[in-house]
Amino acid sequence: MGEKMNTPRLLKIIYYTLIVSTLVGAVASADNGAYTLSTSLCGIVGSIQTVIGVIAILLFITGGALYAGAHMLPAAGNLRGNLQGWSMGMIVGAVVGIILVILAPTLIKTIGSTAGSTVTSCS
């Protein structure tokens, strides 16, 4: 009767929907001739920075709460070690996400200059 919710699959669907809608929106908003690689890439970077930033904050909060909660468990079982491992993984994932958010404009500028396009800085 009741269906189980597959959270990783749902997150992947939401992620892919966001990426596709961002790309479609960038192409749909293009004027005749006024559309440049720079504006589309900056729009995509802005959308992804927002999503990754929110996810990183949620990972920091959840990972910190799980890590604190793990220290309240007895040391005898495997649950404490597993919970600490999961929480550290979340915190490391959040740090990687924040690093990507910070480096994204520079990476896009480098990719655009390699492709031969003049990409202005995304602000």
Side-chain angles (χ1 to χ4, degrees):
M1 290 202 134
E3 294 182 22
K4 291 183 180 179
M5 184 170 67
N6 190 353
T7 304
R9 185 170 187 265
L10 181 64
L11 288 175
K12 283 182 186 178
I13 291 171
I14 292 171
Y15 173 73
Y16 291 138
T17 304
L18 177 71
I19 296 298
V20 169
S21 65
T22 302
L23 291 172
V24 169
V27 171
S29 67
D31 287 333
N32 296 332
Y35 178 72
T36 62
L37 177 65
S38 175
T39 56
S40 67
L41 288 178
C42 286
I44 293 169
V45 166
S47 298
I48 292 175
Q49 281 179 328
T50 303
V51 171
I52 291 177
V54 169
I55 291 173
I57 290 171
L58 292 174
L59 283 173
F60 271 127
I61 293 169
T62 307
L66 288 176
Y67 192 77
H71 285 287
M72 290 186 251
L73 295 174
N78 286 337
L79 185 60
R80 180 178 183 169
N82 289 342
L83 199 56
Q84 286 176 339
W86 296 331
S87 62
M88 289 305 293
M90 288 181 180
I91 292 171
V92 169
V95 169
V96 169
I98 295 296
I99 290 171
L100 287 175
V101 165
I102 293 170
L103 293 179
T106 306
L107 291 173
I108 292 299
K109 191 172 187 178
T110 304
I111 291 169
S113 66
T114 303
S117 174
T118 305
V119 178
T120 59
S121 63
C122 301
S123 50

